[in-house]
PDB file of all heavy atoms in Angstrom:
ATOM      1  N   GLU B 106     150.593   3.877  52.255  1.00  0.00           N
ATOM      2  CA  GLU B 106     151.785   4.616  52.663  1.00  0.00           C
ATOM      3  C   GLU B 106     151.490   5.607  53.776  1.00  0.00           C
ATOM      4  O   GLU B 106     152.367   5.899  54.591  1.00  0.00           O
ATOM      5  CB  GLU B 106     152.407   5.321  51.450  1.00  0.00           C
ATOM      6  CG  GLU B 106     153.815   5.816  51.687  1.00  0.00           C
ATOM      7  CD  GLU B 106     154.846   4.708  51.940  1.00  0.00           C
ATOM      8  OE1 GLU B 106     154.566   3.532  51.662  1.00  0.00           O
ATOM      9  OE2 GLU B 106     155.939   5.042  52.428  1.00  0.00           O
ATOM     10  N   ARG B 109     151.908   3.478  56.711  1.00  0.00           N
ATOM     11  CA  ARG B 109     153.316   3.185  56.931  1.00  0.00           C
ATOM     12  C   ARG B 109     154.063   4.424  57.446  1.00  0.00           C
ATOM     13  O   ARG B 109     154.938   4.322  58.298  1.00  0.00           O
ATOM     14  CB  ARG B 109     153.941   2.691  55.617  1.00  0.00           C
ATOM     15  CG  ARG B 109     155.295   2.022  55.784  1.00  0.00           C
ATOM     16  CD  ARG B 109     156.419   2.915  55.320  1.00  0.00           C
ATOM     17  NE  ARG B 109     157.719   2.381  55.664  1.00  0.00           N
ATOM     18  CZ  ARG B 109     158.836   3.060  55.499  1.00  0.00           C
ATOM     19  NH1 ARG B 109     158.808   4.248  54.958  1.00  0.00           N
ATOM     20  NH2 ARG B 109     159.985   2.561  55.854  1.00  0.00           N
ATOM     21  N   PHE B 115     157.239   9.289  59.866  1.00  0.00           N
ATOM     22  CA  PHE B 115     157.374  10.302  58.820  1.00  0.00           C
ATOM     23  C   PHE B 115     156.098  11.130  58.795  1.00  0.00           C
ATOM     24  O   PHE B 115     155.010  10.568  58.691  1.00  0.00           O
ATOM     25  CB  PHE B 115     157.583   9.655  57.444  1.00  0.00           C
ATOM     26  CG  PHE B 115     158.889   8.939  57.321  1.00  0.00           C
ATOM     27  CD1 PHE B 115     158.939   7.568  57.229  1.00  0.00           C
ATOM     28  CD2 PHE B 115     160.074   9.643  57.318  1.00  0.00           C
ATOM     29  CE1 PHE B 115     160.148   6.901  57.131  1.00  0.00           C
ATOM     30  CE2 PHE B 115     161.289   8.995  57.222  1.00  0.00           C
ATOM     31  CZ  PHE B 115     161.335   7.615  57.128  1.00  0.00           C
ATOM     32  N   PRO B 116     156.198  12.454  58.879  1.00  0.00           N
ATOM     33  CA  PRO B 116     154.975  13.262  58.900  1.00  0.00           C
ATOM     34  C   PRO B 116     154.315  13.359  57.527  1.00  0.00           C
ATOM     35  O   PRO B 116     153.098  13.500  57.441  1.00  0.00           O
ATOM     36  CB  PRO B 116     155.472  14.633  59.347  1.00  0.00           C
ATOM     37  CG  PRO B 116     156.903  14.685  58.886  1.00  0.00           C
ATOM     38  CD  PRO B 116     157.413  13.273  59.007  1.00  0.00           C
ATOM     39  N   TYR B 119     155.986  12.671  49.407  1.00  0.00           N
ATOM     40  CA  TYR B 119     155.494  13.048  48.082  1.00  0.00           C
ATOM     41  C   TYR B 119     155.221  11.813  47.248  1.00  0.00           C
ATOM     42  O   TYR B 119     156.071  10.930  47.149  1.00  0.00           O
ATOM     43  CB  TYR B 119     156.532  13.919  47.367  1.00  0.00           C
ATOM     44  CG  TYR B 119     156.654  15.296  47.967  1.00  0.00           C
ATOM     45  CD1 TYR B 119     157.657  15.591  48.889  1.00  0.00           C
ATOM     46  CD2 TYR B 119     155.763  16.309  47.629  1.00  0.00           C
ATOM     47  CE1 TYR B 119     157.762  16.869  49.455  1.00  0.00           C
ATOM     48  CE2 TYR B 119     155.861  17.578  48.186  1.00  0.00           C
ATOM     49  CZ  TYR B 119     156.868  17.849  49.097  1.00  0.00           C
ATOM     50  OH  TYR B 119     156.964  19.101  49.647  1.00  0.00           O
ATOM     51  N   GLU B 133     149.444  20.382  48.544  1.00  0.00           N
ATOM     52  CA  GLU B 133     150.651  20.911  47.913  1.00  0.00           C
ATOM     53  C   GLU B 133     151.116  19.958  46.823  1.00  0.00           C
ATOM     54  O   GLU B 133     151.145  18.749  47.006  1.00  0.00           O
ATOM     55  CB  GLU B 133     151.744  21.037  48.983  1.00  0.00           C
ATOM     56  CG  GLU B 133     153.054  21.535  48.430  1.00  0.00           C
ATOM     57  CD  GLU B 133     154.146  21.555  49.498  1.00  0.00           C
ATOM     58  OE1 GLU B 133     153.854  21.960  50.638  1.00  0.00           O
ATOM     59  OE2 GLU B 133     155.272  21.160  49.180  1.00  0.00           O
ATOM     60  N   ARG B 135     154.311  19.388  43.773  1.00  0.00           N
ATOM     61  CA  ARG B 135     155.694  19.787  43.616  1.00  0.00           C
ATOM     62  C   ARG B 135     156.379  18.941  42.553  1.00  0.00           C
ATOM     63  O   ARG B 135     156.065  17.764  42.393  1.00  0.00           O
ATOM     64  CB  ARG B 135     156.400  19.579  44.956  1.00  0.00           C
ATOM     65  CG  ARG B 135     157.822  20.055  44.986  1.00  0.00           C
ATOM     66  CD  ARG B 135     158.194  20.243  46.429  1.00  0.00           C
ATOM     67  NE  ARG B 135     159.585  20.530  46.605  1.00  0.00           N
ATOM     68  CZ  ARG B 135     160.099  20.916  47.768  1.00  0.00           C
ATOM     69  NH1 ARG B 135     159.314  21.035  48.822  1.00  0.00           N
ATOM     70  NH2 ARG B 135     161.376  21.160  47.888  1.00  0.00           N
ATOM     71  N   ASP B 138     162.516  16.219  39.381  1.00  0.00           N
ATOM     72  CA  ASP B 138     163.017  15.607  38.137  1.00  0.00           C
ATOM     73  C   ASP B 138     161.990  15.601  37.011  1.00  0.00           C
ATOM     74  O   ASP B 138     161.860  14.609  36.283  1.00  0.00           O
ATOM     75  CB  ASP B 138     163.458  14.166  38.404  1.00  0.00           C
ATOM     76  CG  ASP B 138     164.836  14.108  39.037  1.00  0.00           C
ATOM     77  OD1 ASP B 138     165.604  15.071  38.860  1.00  0.00           O
ATOM     78  OD2 ASP B 138     165.127  13.103  39.701  1.00  0.00           O
ATOM     79  N   LEU B 144     151.849  16.120  48.019  1.00  0.00           N
ATOM     80  CA  LEU B 144     152.278  15.900  49.406  1.00  0.00           C
ATOM     81  C   LEU B 144     151.132  15.272  50.193  1.00  0.00           C
ATOM     82  O   LEU B 144     150.026  15.814  50.235  1.00  0.00           O
ATOM     83  CB  LEU B 144     152.703  17.226  50.046  1.00  0.00           C
ATOM     84  CG  LEU B 144     153.293  17.121  51.463  1.00  0.00           C
ATOM     85  CD1 LEU B 144     154.638  16.430  51.439  1.00  0.00           C
ATOM     86  CD2 LEU B 144     153.425  18.500  52.094  1.00  0.00           C
ATOM     87  N   LYS B 149     146.580   9.759  61.496  1.00  0.00           N
ATOM     88  CA  LYS B 149     146.584   9.772  62.954  1.00  0.00           C
ATOM     89  C   LYS B 149     145.363   9.001  63.409  1.00  0.00           C
ATOM     90  O   LYS B 149     144.244   9.354  63.037  1.00  0.00           O
ATOM     91  CB  LYS B 149     146.502  11.212  63.466  1.00  0.00           C
ATOM     92  CG  LYS B 149     147.826  11.915  63.364  1.00  0.00           C
ATOM     93  CD  LYS B 149     147.717  13.373  63.663  1.00  0.00           C
ATOM     94  CE  LYS B 149     148.992  14.058  63.213  1.00  0.00           C
ATOM     95  NZ  LYS B 149     148.852  15.483  63.138  1.00  0.00           N
ATOM     96  N   PHE B 168     151.584 -13.268  58.875  1.00  0.00           N
ATOM     97  CA  PHE B 168     150.346 -13.218  58.103  1.00  0.00           C
ATOM     98  C   PHE B 168     150.340 -14.337  57.064  1.00  0.00           C
ATOM     99  O   PHE B 168     151.377 -14.904  56.751  1.00  0.00           O
ATOM    100  CB  PHE B 168     150.214 -11.851  57.421  1.00  0.00           C
ATOM    101  CG  PHE B 168     150.272 -10.714  58.404  1.00  0.00           C
ATOM    102  CD1 PHE B 168     151.487 -10.126  58.739  1.00  0.00           C
ATOM    103  CD2 PHE B 168     149.127 -10.257  59.034  1.00  0.00           C
ATOM    104  CE1 PHE B 168     151.558  -9.087  59.667  1.00  0.00           C
ATOM    105  CE2 PHE B 168     149.186  -9.231  59.965  1.00  0.00           C
ATOM    106  CZ  PHE B 168     150.398  -8.636  60.276  1.00  0.00           C
ATOM    107  N   LYS B 169     149.160 -14.600  56.513  1.00  0.00           N
ATOM    108  CA  LYS B 169     149.070 -15.667  55.520  1.00  0.00           C
ATOM    109  C   LYS B 169     148.499 -15.138  54.201  1.00  0.00           C
ATOM    110  O   LYS B 169     147.462 -14.478  54.179  1.00  0.00           O
ATOM    111  CB  LYS B 169     148.183 -16.788  56.051  1.00  0.00           C
ATOM    112  CG  LYS B 169     148.026 -17.954  55.085  1.00  0.00           C
ATOM    113  CD  LYS B 169     147.417 -19.178  55.755  1.00  0.00           C
ATOM    114  CE  LYS B 169     146.846 -20.141  54.724  1.00  0.00           C
ATOM    115  NZ  LYS B 169     145.440 -19.885  54.413  1.00  0.00           N
ATOM    116  N   GLY B 170     149.192 -15.467  53.110  1.00  0.00           N
ATOM    117  CA  GLY B 170     148.706 -15.150  51.770  1.00  0.00           C
ATOM    118  C   GLY B 170     148.369 -13.674  51.608  1.00  0.00           C
ATOM    119  O   GLY B 170     149.029 -12.795  52.171  1.00  0.00           O
ATOM    120  N   ARG B 173     147.432 -10.723  54.222  1.00  0.00           N
ATOM    121  CA  ARG B 173     148.413  -9.815  54.817  1.00  0.00           C
ATOM    122  C   ARG B 173     148.006  -8.362  54.531  1.00  0.00           C
ATOM    123  O   ARG B 173     147.805  -7.579  55.441  1.00  0.00           O
ATOM    124  CB  ARG B 173     149.813 -10.091  54.233  1.00  0.00           C
ATOM    125  CG  ARG B 173     150.865  -9.313  54.990  1.00  0.00           C
ATOM    126  CD  ARG B 173     152.303  -9.499  54.535  1.00  0.00           C
ATOM    127  NE  ARG B 173     152.743 -10.822  54.135  1.00  0.00           N
ATOM    128  CZ  ARG B 173     154.010 -11.122  53.859  1.00  0.00           C
ATOM    129  NH1 ARG B 173     154.948 -10.196  53.939  1.00  0.00           N
ATOM    130  NH2 ARG B 173     154.361 -12.334  53.466  1.00  0.00           N
ATOM    131  N   ASN B 202     163.635 -14.914  62.282  1.00  0.00           N
ATOM    132  CA  ASN B 202     163.949 -14.537  60.905  1.00  0.00           C
ATOM    133  C   ASN B 202     162.700 -14.384  60.048  1.00  0.00           C
ATOM    134  O   ASN B 202     162.750 -13.827  58.959  1.00  0.00           O
ATOM    135  CB  ASN B 202     164.770 -15.686  60.315  1.00  0.00           C
ATOM    136  CG  ASN B 202     166.023 -15.225  59.675  1.00  0.00           C
ATOM    137  OD1 ASN B 202     166.414 -14.072  59.793  1.00  0.00           O
ATOM    138  ND2 ASN B 202     166.656 -16.136  58.975  1.00  0.00           N
ATOM    139  N   GLN B 203     161.612 -14.953  60.509  1.00  0.00           N
ATOM    140  CA  GLN B 203     160.426 -15.070  59.659  1.00  0.00           C
ATOM    141  C   GLN B 203     159.232 -14.319  60.219  1.00  0.00           C
ATOM    142  O   GLN B 203     158.091 -14.617  59.878  1.00  0.00           O
ATOM    143  CB  GLN B 203     160.074 -16.564  59.482  1.00  0.00           C
ATOM    144  CG  GLN B 203     161.123 -17.357  58.710  1.00  0.00           C
ATOM    145  CD  GLN B 203     161.233 -16.943  57.253  1.00  0.00           C
ATOM    146  OE1 GLN B 203     160.742 -15.893  56.857  1.00  0.00           O
ATOM    147  NE2 GLN B 203     161.885 -17.756  56.454  1.00  0.00           N
ATOM    148  N   HIS B 205     156.835 -11.256  60.414  1.00  0.00           N
ATOM    149  CA  HIS B 205     156.458 -10.158  59.524  1.00  0.00           C
ATOM    150  C   HIS B 205     156.391  -8.831  60.269  1.00  0.00           C
ATOM    151  O   HIS B 205     156.751  -7.797  59.733  1.00  0.00           O
ATOM    152  CB  HIS B 205     155.118 -10.450  58.858  1.00  0.00           C
ATOM    153  CG  HIS B 205     155.164 -11.588  57.893  1.00  0.00           C
ATOM    154  ND1 HIS B 205     154.149 -12.488  57.758  1.00  0.00           N
ATOM    155  CD2 HIS B 205     156.114 -11.982  57.021  1.00  0.00           C
ATOM    156  CE1 HIS B 205     154.468 -13.384  56.828  1.00  0.00           C
ATOM    157  NE2 HIS B 205     155.664 -13.099  56.373  1.00  0.00           N
TER     158      HIS B 205
ATOM    159  N   GLU D 106     166.265   4.931  54.551  1.00  0.00           N
ATOM    160  CA  GLU D 106     165.024   5.395  53.941  1.00  0.00           C
ATOM    161  C   GLU D 106     165.241   5.991  52.552  1.00  0.00           C
ATOM    162  O   GLU D 106     164.351   5.919  51.707  1.00  0.00           O
ATOM    163  CB  GLU D 106     164.322   6.398  54.860  1.00  0.00           C
ATOM    164  CG  GLU D 106     162.880   6.669  54.495  1.00  0.00           C
ATOM    165  CD  GLU D 106     161.947   5.465  54.646  1.00  0.00           C
ATOM    166  OE1 GLU D 106     162.316   4.477  55.311  1.00  0.00           O
ATOM    167  OE2 GLU D 106     160.852   5.514  54.066  1.00  0.00           O
ATOM    168  N   ARG D 109     165.056   2.996  50.492  1.00  0.00           N
ATOM    169  CA  ARG D 109     163.679   2.529  50.403  1.00  0.00           C
ATOM    170  C   ARG D 109     162.827   3.460  49.509  1.00  0.00           C
ATOM    171  O   ARG D 109     161.978   3.000  48.762  1.00  0.00           O
ATOM    172  CB  ARG D 109     163.076   2.439  51.812  1.00  0.00           C
ATOM    173  CG  ARG D 109     161.780   1.652  51.898  1.00  0.00           C
ATOM    174  CD  ARG D 109     160.589   2.553  52.029  1.00  0.00           C
ATOM    175  NE  ARG D 109     159.342   1.828  51.912  1.00  0.00           N
ATOM    176  CZ  ARG D 109     158.163   2.420  51.894  1.00  0.00           C
ATOM    177  NH1 ARG D 109     158.080   3.727  52.023  1.00  0.00           N
ATOM    178  NH2 ARG D 109     157.064   1.722  51.750  1.00  0.00           N
ATOM    179  N   PHE D 115     159.295   6.986  45.674  1.00  0.00           N
ATOM    180  CA  PHE D 115     159.069   8.263  46.332  1.00  0.00           C
ATOM    181  C   PHE D 115     160.275   9.159  46.069  1.00  0.00           C
ATOM    182  O   PHE D 115     161.399   8.752  46.340  1.00  0.00           O
ATOM    183  CB  PHE D 115     158.897   8.090  47.847  1.00  0.00           C
ATOM    184  CG  PHE D 115     157.658   7.352  48.219  1.00  0.00           C
ATOM    185  CD1 PHE D 115     157.720   6.085  48.755  1.00  0.00           C
ATOM    186  CD2 PHE D 115     156.413   7.924  48.008  1.00  0.00           C
ATOM    187  CE1 PHE D 115     156.565   5.393  49.084  1.00  0.00           C
ATOM    188  CE2 PHE D 115     155.248   7.237  48.334  1.00  0.00           C
ATOM    189  CZ  PHE D 115     155.327   5.963  48.871  1.00  0.00           C
ATOM    190  N   PRO D 116     160.065  10.367  45.567  1.00  0.00           N
ATOM    191  CA  PRO D 116     161.209  11.232  45.261  1.00  0.00           C
ATOM    192  C   PRO D 116     161.836  11.828  46.521  1.00  0.00           C
ATOM    193  O   PRO D 116     163.026  12.091  46.553  1.00  0.00           O
ATOM    194  CB  PRO D 116     160.603  12.327  44.392  1.00  0.00           C
ATOM    195  CG  PRO D 116     159.175  12.398  44.844  1.00  0.00           C
ATOM    196  CD  PRO D 116     158.787  10.991  45.197  1.00  0.00           C
ATOM    197  N   TYR D 119     160.128  13.703  54.429  1.00  0.00           N
ATOM    198  CA  TYR D 119     160.561  14.541  55.545  1.00  0.00           C
ATOM    199  C   TYR D 119     160.931  13.664  56.733  1.00  0.00           C
ATOM    200  O   TYR D 119     160.150  12.797  57.131  1.00  0.00           O
ATOM    201  CB  TYR D 119     159.444  15.498  55.953  1.00  0.00           C
ATOM    202  CG  TYR D 119     159.214  16.591  54.945  1.00  0.00           C
ATOM    203  CD1 TYR D 119     158.208  16.489  53.996  1.00  0.00           C
ATOM    204  CD2 TYR D 119     160.025  17.725  54.925  1.00  0.00           C
ATOM    205  CE1 TYR D 119     157.998  17.498  53.055  1.00  0.00           C
ATOM    206  CE2 TYR D 119     159.821  18.739  53.993  1.00  0.00           C
ATOM    207  CZ  TYR D 119     158.812  18.614  53.059  1.00  0.00           C
ATOM    208  OH  TYR D 119     158.618  19.606  52.128  1.00  0.00           O
ATOM    209  N   GLU D 133     166.000  21.793  52.630  1.00  0.00           N
ATOM    210  CA  GLU D 133     164.751  22.389  53.065  1.00  0.00           C
ATOM    211  C   GLU D 133     164.344  21.815  54.420  1.00  0.00           C
ATOM    212  O   GLU D 133     164.434  20.605  54.646  1.00  0.00           O
ATOM    213  CB  GLU D 133     163.665  22.067  52.029  1.00  0.00           C
ATOM    214  CG  GLU D 133     162.305  22.589  52.417  1.00  0.00           C
ATOM    215  CD  GLU D 133     161.244  22.191  51.411  1.00  0.00           C
ATOM    216  OE1 GLU D 133     161.526  22.205  50.196  1.00  0.00           O
ATOM    217  OE2 GLU D 133     160.130  21.839  51.849  1.00  0.00           O
ATOM    218  N   ARG D 135     161.172  22.011  57.536  1.00  0.00           N
ATOM    219  CA  ARG D 135     159.745  22.326  57.587  1.00  0.00           C
ATOM    220  C   ARG D 135     159.120  21.822  58.867  1.00  0.00           C
ATOM    221  O   ARG D 135     159.509  20.786  59.386  1.00  0.00           O
ATOM    222  CB  ARG D 135     159.083  21.638  56.392  1.00  0.00           C
ATOM    223  CG  ARG D 135     157.628  21.953  56.227  1.00  0.00           C
ATOM    224  CD  ARG D 135     157.264  21.600  54.815  1.00  0.00           C
ATOM    225  NE  ARG D 135     155.862  21.697  54.569  1.00  0.00           N
ATOM    226  CZ  ARG D 135     155.335  21.626  53.344  1.00  0.00           C
ATOM    227  NH1 ARG D 135     156.119  21.448  52.303  1.00  0.00           N
ATOM    228  NH2 ARG D 135     154.043  21.723  53.171  1.00  0.00           N
ATOM    229  N   ASP D 138     153.173  19.782  62.836  1.00  0.00           N
ATOM    230  CA  ASP D 138     152.700  19.576  64.209  1.00  0.00           C
ATOM    231  C   ASP D 138     153.700  20.033  65.261  1.00  0.00           C
ATOM    232  O   ASP D 138     153.917  19.345  66.267  1.00  0.00           O
ATOM    233  CB  ASP D 138     152.389  18.086  64.445  1.00  0.00           C
ATOM    234  CG  ASP D 138     151.022  17.718  63.878  1.00  0.00           C
ATOM    235  OD1 ASP D 138     150.185  18.622  63.727  1.00  0.00           O
ATOM    236  OD2 ASP D 138     150.810  16.531  63.595  1.00  0.00           O
ATOM    237  N   LEU D 144     163.951  17.753  54.560  1.00  0.00           N
ATOM    238  CA  LEU D 144     163.553  17.052  53.328  1.00  0.00           C
ATOM    239  C   LEU D 144     164.754  16.290  52.763  1.00  0.00           C
ATOM    240  O   LEU D 144     165.812  16.876  52.523  1.00  0.00           O
ATOM    241  CB  LEU D 144     163.042  18.056  52.290  1.00  0.00           C
ATOM    242  CG  LEU D 144     162.473  17.446  51.012  1.00  0.00           C
ATOM    243  CD1 LEU D 144     161.178  16.682  51.280  1.00  0.00           C
ATOM    244  CD2 LEU D 144     162.228  18.521  49.944  1.00  0.00           C
ATOM    245  N   LYS D 149     169.910   7.789  43.848  1.00  0.00           N
ATOM    246  CA  LYS D 149     169.927   7.321  42.458  1.00  0.00           C
ATOM    247  C   LYS D 149     171.214   6.543  42.256  1.00  0.00           C
ATOM    248  O   LYS D 149     172.292   7.080  42.480  1.00  0.00           O
ATOM    249  CB  LYS D 149     169.896   8.502  41.493  1.00  0.00           C
ATOM    250  CG  LYS D 149     168.528   9.113  41.410  1.00  0.00           C
ATOM    251  CD  LYS D 149     168.512  10.381  40.613  1.00  0.00           C
ATOM    252  CE  LYS D 149     167.181  11.052  40.830  1.00  0.00           C
ATOM    253  NZ  LYS D 149     167.207  12.456  40.416  1.00  0.00           N
ATOM    254  N   PHE D 168     166.809 -13.450  53.910  1.00  0.00           N
ATOM    255  CA  PHE D 168     168.022 -13.046  54.612  1.00  0.00           C
ATOM    256  C   PHE D 168     168.103 -13.759  55.948  1.00  0.00           C
ATOM    257  O   PHE D 168     167.120 -14.291  56.435  1.00  0.00           O
ATOM    258  CB  PHE D 168     168.024 -11.527  54.801  1.00  0.00           C
ATOM    259  CG  PHE D 168     167.887 -10.786  53.509  1.00  0.00           C
ATOM    260  CD1 PHE D 168     166.629 -10.434  53.013  1.00  0.00           C
ATOM    261  CD2 PHE D 168     169.004 -10.458  52.751  1.00  0.00           C
ATOM    262  CE1 PHE D 168     166.491  -9.775  51.794  1.00  0.00           C
ATOM    263  CE2 PHE D 168     168.873  -9.798  51.533  1.00  0.00           C
ATOM    264  CZ  PHE D 168     167.613  -9.452  51.060  1.00  0.00           C
ATOM    265  N   GLY D 170     169.289 -13.444  60.054  1.00  0.00           N
ATOM    266  CA  GLY D 170     169.719 -12.662  61.209  1.00  0.00           C
ATOM    267  C   GLY D 170     169.924 -11.196  60.872  1.00  0.00           C
ATOM    268  O   GLY D 170     169.191 -10.609  60.061  1.00  0.00           O
ATOM    269  N   ARG D 173     170.654  -9.193  57.426  1.00  0.00           N
ATOM    270  CA  ARG D 173     169.613  -8.607  56.579  1.00  0.00           C
ATOM    271  C   ARG D 173     169.906  -7.112  56.374  1.00  0.00           C
ATOM    272  O   ARG D 173     170.075  -6.669  55.254  1.00  0.00           O
ATOM    273  CB  ARG D 173     168.238  -8.793  57.231  1.00  0.00           C
ATOM    274  CG  ARG D 173     167.125  -8.446  56.259  1.00  0.00           C
ATOM    275  CD  ARG D 173     165.703  -8.532  56.799  1.00  0.00           C
ATOM    276  NE  ARG D 173     165.365  -9.697  57.609  1.00  0.00           N
ATOM    277  CZ  ARG D 173     164.119  -9.974  58.010  1.00  0.00           C
ATOM    278  NH1 ARG D 173     163.123  -9.181  57.645  1.00  0.00           N
ATOM    279  NH2 ARG D 173     163.855 -11.021  58.770  1.00  0.00           N
ATOM    280  N   ASN D 202     154.953 -17.109  51.414  1.00  0.00           N
ATOM    281  CA  ASN D 202     154.592 -16.331  52.588  1.00  0.00           C
ATOM    282  C   ASN D 202     155.810 -15.797  53.332  1.00  0.00           C
ATOM    283  O   ASN D 202     155.698 -14.926  54.177  1.00  0.00           O
ATOM    284  CB  ASN D 202     153.878 -17.296  53.555  1.00  0.00           C
ATOM    285  CG  ASN D 202     152.575 -16.758  54.026  1.00  0.00           C
ATOM    286  OD1 ASN D 202     152.083 -15.757  53.525  1.00  0.00           O
ATOM    287  ND2 ASN D 202     152.016 -17.421  55.003  1.00  0.00           N
ATOM    288  N   GLN D 203     156.960 -16.402  53.075  1.00  0.00           N
ATOM    289  CA  GLN D 203     158.134 -16.141  53.892  1.00  0.00           C
ATOM    290  C   GLN D 203     159.268 -15.519  53.102  1.00  0.00           C
ATOM    291  O   GLN D 203     160.435 -15.592  53.512  1.00  0.00           O
ATOM    292  CB  GLN D 203     158.605 -17.450  54.554  1.00  0.00           C
ATOM    293  CG  GLN D 203     157.621 -18.030  55.572  1.00  0.00           C
ATOM    294  CD  GLN D 203     157.446 -17.165  56.806  1.00  0.00           C
ATOM    295  OE1 GLN D 203     157.824 -16.002  56.820  1.00  0.00           O
ATOM    296  NE2 GLN D 203     156.866 -17.715  57.855  1.00  0.00           N
ATOM    297  N   HIS D 205     161.408 -12.496  51.877  1.00  0.00           N
ATOM    298  CA  HIS D 205     161.682 -11.140  52.353  1.00  0.00           C
ATOM    299  C   HIS D 205     161.662 -10.136  51.208  1.00  0.00           C
ATOM    300  O   HIS D 205     161.194  -9.012  51.371  1.00  0.00           O
ATOM    301  CB  HIS D 205     163.037 -11.088  53.065  1.00  0.00           C
ATOM    302  CG  HIS D 205     163.080 -11.845  54.352  1.00  0.00           C
ATOM    303  ND1 HIS D 205     164.165 -12.556  54.781  1.00  0.00           N
ATOM    304  CD2 HIS D 205     162.140 -12.027  55.313  1.00  0.00           C
ATOM    305  CE1 HIS D 205     163.903 -13.116  55.958  1.00  0.00           C
ATOM    306  NE2 HIS D 205     162.681 -12.815  56.293  1.00  0.00           N
TER     307      HIS D 205
END
Side-chain angles (χ1 to χ4, degrees):
Chain B
E106 195 65 15
R109 195 255 171 188
F115 293 111
Y119 289 97
E133 178 184 318
R135 185 160 172 170
D138 280 336
L144 185 68
K149 282 171 194 165
F168 304 90
K169 180 167 161 269
R173 189 179 321 187
N202 231 10
Q203 294 293 15
H205 292 142
Chain D
E106 195 65 16
R109 194 256 171 185
F115 293 111
Y119 289 97
E133 177 183 321
R135 185 161 173 170
D138 280 337
L144 186 67
K149 285 172 192 164
F168 304 91
R173 191 182 316 188
N202 231 10
Q203 294 294 15
H205 292 143

